[in-house]
Amino acid sequence: MKKLKNFPYKQVLVLGLAKSGTAAAELFLDSGIQVRINDLKADQKDPEVLRLIEKGAEVITGGHPLSVLDDVEYLVKNPGIPYENPVIAEAENRKIPVVTEVELASFLHEGPLVAVTGSNGKTTTTTLIHEMIQADQQKVSLAGNIGHVSCEVARSTDADETMVTELSSFQLLGTEKFHPEIAVWLNLYEAHLDYHHTLENYHQAKAKITANQTADDTLVYNADDESIARFLPDVKAKRVPFSIEKEGEGAWADDSFIYFEDEPIMKKQDIVLVGEQNLQNILAAVAAVKVNGIRNEAIVEVLTTFAGVEHRLQFVTKKNGRLFYNDSKATNILATSYALKSFENPVILLAGGLDRGTSFESLIPHMKGIKAMVVFGETADQLSETARKVGIEEVTKVETMQEAVDQAYQYSKEDDVILLSPACASWDQYRTFEERGHMFIQAVHKL
């Protein structure tokens, strides 16, 4: 396992444990750097905490006293902790660098780095890129917001190994020197305003994916997204577009084939993944791997077998002619809009969750195929009102996922699609969108 070399700081604070904080603390301790850990909710008797203490960490729990910054030269924060946190605000006031653990990967990984960000489609695109490189018999590892802590993965990568990492705006905001050879920017829509406060702040956080790139690097970007276009004049990297609207440059598609530049890669009808959003994800992945020299045969192998990522338009089962899909990762309106456009059959939509103060008006143009809705969570009443505006008469508010699935089945007929695509984050009722998706799958199997 690699350790930090030539790291300029001797005393660091890790703010927030979870997976990323624990991995960062382990790395620092193994590298002989003094570590102080501050976590609001951690239990001092937890085996993980005790293990870190035994390795030499100082652990402070139960609050965020400013004294945790005494003698600290560097702060690694959990991505979810807002910058209004008093410790972070004071650290910035003292000119202490505040980063997320993904920044540490820059000190460790020596091989090519592919980084993927966007408001939607990150996990699918990241996974596709990883699978395509692997299918070409190249060394590759998967990291980032997809569930594998970047600095932990980077500790064991080889110099000739590509690391493909998914990055959220929360992670990117905490980067200073992070430098991907290939950056993939999928799209840019309104999201996470409760964290970033303004759309401009959110956009600027996403733009950090290309901030340190040079003319030797590549930015793969969505040529159909006007919000991304305004950042392009400041990009130093070579720009490679992908598009479902424009033809002839980068990765693109017509009615029959997908292409890279003027080279046909494969027939669209042979692709397993459904939906317009997935076509965008596929084109982004194709552009990224073609730049990386991956053979067409490897791309075709993946696209003819890859059926999707868990919780992202995941086909669950068919029961009595009804098709069940788990799209719990649809934590915003755009993602649910894409999901609805993927189906021609009538849809019973299960939706609702955390109220971030966002209007559902932008969902209305995509609701024509919905025959009934089952709503839940903090936004249940707003979604009910939106449904009635478009003339959906069958709308039921429920408390649990089992009730939601049972009611959706009652509304359904043979050949209908029963779709969990919440358009909201899960945190009002569930710890994660994964937990919400698993509850849906369990409820379906209990029918």
Side-chain angles (χ1 to χ4, degrees):
M1 295 283 280
K2 286 181 277 187
K3 301 177 183 180
L4 291 169
K5 296 179 180 178
N6 302 316
F7 190 72
Y9 306 101
K10 302 301 181 185
Q11 174 75 48
V12 303
L13 172 66
V14 174
L15 189 64
L17 278 173
K19 288 196 296 185
S20 65
T22 300
E26 292 266 17
L27 171 62
F28 288 129
L29 291 167
D30 291 345
S31 303
I33 295 165
Q34 289 184 300
V35 177
R36 181 177 296 140
I37 298 168
N38 180 211
D39 189 287
L40 184 66
K41 298 179 180 179
D43 186 343
Q44 288 272 3
K45 296 180 181 179
D46 184 275
E48 193 87 329
V49 173
L50 289 173
R51 187 172 56 80
L52 292 170
I53 292 173
E54 288 174 4
K55 293 187 74 170
E58 176 189 0
V59 180
I60 299 169
T61 62
H64 292 305
L66 295 185
S67 59
V68 299
L69 289 170
D70 292 349
D71 302 319
V72 164
E73 302 172 296
Y74 197 71
L75 191 158
V76 179
K77 67 180 282 292
N78 182 288
I81 298 175
Y83 284 78
E84 292 82 7
N85 179 284
V87 173
I88 297 174
E90 180 59 22
E92 291 184 325
N93 185 52
R94 298 185 191 184
K95 309 300 182 185
I96 297 171
V98 177
V99 303
T100 52
E101 63 78 26
V102 71
E103 176 74 4
L104 302 178
S106 301
F107 293 93
L108 296 166
H109 181 63
E110 299 169 327
L113 179 61
V114 180
V116 180
T117 199
S119 302
N120 289 294
K122 295 185 293 296
T123 299
T124 298
T125 306
T126 304
T127 306
L128 282 169
I129 293 169
H130 174 266
E131 295 294 312
M132 289 171 181
I133 296 173
Q134 192 171 62
D136 203 36
Q137 308 299 312
Q138 307 293 320
K139 287 185 180 179
V140 63
S141 56
L142 196 60
N145 200 44
I146 201 166
H148 309 281
V149 180
S150 295
C151 71
E152 188 173 55
V153 173
R155 295 190 69 180
S156 58
T157 55
D158 295 329
D160 60 346
E161 182 173 346
T162 300
M163 188 165 83
V164 186
T165 181
E166 174 190 328
L167 297 177
S168 69
S169 59
F170 300 173
Q171 292 169 310
L172 282 168
L173 191 56
T175 57
E176 294 182 339
K177 299 179 180 179
F178 184 77
H179 179 182
E181 280 75 17
I182 300 174
V184 181
W185 198 346
L186 295 171
N187 42 51
L188 196 53
Y189 301 106
E190 182 176 318
H192 304 304
L193 297 192
D194 54 333
Y195 185 95
H196 295 288
H197 304 303
T198 70
L199 193 60
E200 181 61 22
N201 287 345
Y202 173 61
H203 286 187
Q204 291 293 341
K206 288 292 193 186
K208 293 192 78 172
I209 196 168
T210 189
N212 295 320
Q213 288 192 299
T214 69
D216 295 326
D217 304 315
T218 301
L219 172 66
V220 173
Y221 70 96
N222 187 343
D224 304 329
D225 193 313
E226 294 181 0
S227 295
I228 292 176
R230 72 185 184 91
F231 289 94
L232 296 180
D234 297 324
V235 172
K236 299 180 180 68
K238 176 186 176 183
R239 294 174 290 183
V240 176
F242 66 91
S243 172
I244 61 172
E245 298 176 4
K246 305 176 180 71
E247 298 183 355
E249 190 177 359
W252 56 281
D254 59 20
D255 292 338
S256 302
F257 287 87
I258 61 170
Y259 301 83
F260 185 72
E261 303 295 349
D262 58 355
E263 178 187 13
I265 305 297
M266 66 179 295
K267 292 180 179 179
K268 282 175 64 178
Q269 67 182 27
D270 295 333
I271 298 172
V272 176
L273 283 176
V274 299
E276 183 178 290
Q277 182 185 358
N278 277 327
L279 179 58
Q280 289 184 325
N281 299 335
I282 287 165
L283 293 175
V286 167
V289 300
K290 288 294 287 184
V291 167
N292 208 28
I294 301 304
R295 296 175 300 115
N296 289 350
E297 291 82 357
I299 297 171
V300 173
E301 178 184 332
V302 172
L303 293 181
T304 53
T305 57
F306 183 77
V309 177
E310 191 176 26
H311 309 298
R312 293 154 182 85
L313 267 185
Q314 173 195 4
F315 176 66
V316 177
T317 191
K318 184 175 183 178
K319 281 197 173 186
N320 296 330
R322 283 80 165 167
L323 301 166
F324 292 83
Y325 285 85
N326 166 28
D327 193 36
S328 184
K329 183 60 171 68
T331 57
N332 56 45
I333 293 169
L334 180 70
T336 296
S337 300
Y338 276 126
L340 291 171
K341 287 195 289 185
S342 300
F343 300 103
E344 296 181 0
N345 295 13
V347 172
I348 295 90
L349 177 66
L350 283 64
L354 185 72
D355 186 357
R356 282 175 160 157
T358 303
S359 166
F360 290 97
E361 291 293 314
S362 60
L363 188 62
I364 288 177
H366 309 284
M367 297 176 71
K368 295 175 183 177
I370 299 175
K371 65 181 287 185
M373 284 181 63
V374 183
V375 296
F376 44 80
E378 293 178 355
T379 57
D381 292 336
Q382 296 160 257
L383 283 162
S384 296
E385 180 60 29
T386 304
R388 293 189 174 94
K389 282 183 181 179
V390 296
I392 299 171
E393 297 180 0
E394 304 284 6
V395 182
T396 299
K397 180 179 176 180
V398 299
E399 297 296 327
T400 70
M401 189 60 72
Q402 189 66 58
E403 290 176 318
V405 171
D406 290 344
Q407 182 60 56
Y409 187 85
Q410 293 301 315
Y411 282 143
S412 69
K413 295 181 179 179
E414 192 171 336
D415 294 326
D416 286 351
V417 170
I418 296 177
L419 170 67
L420 171 68
S421 189
C424 303
S426 59
W427 303 322
D428 58 334
Q429 293 180 293
Y430 305 95
R431 288 174 296 179
T432 63
F433 72 83
E434 291 98 338
E435 181 182 64
R436 179 170 63 187
H438 287 308
M439 293 293 288
F440 173 73
I441 293 169
Q442 289 175 17
V444 169
H445 290 312
K446 286 181 182 178
L447 278 172

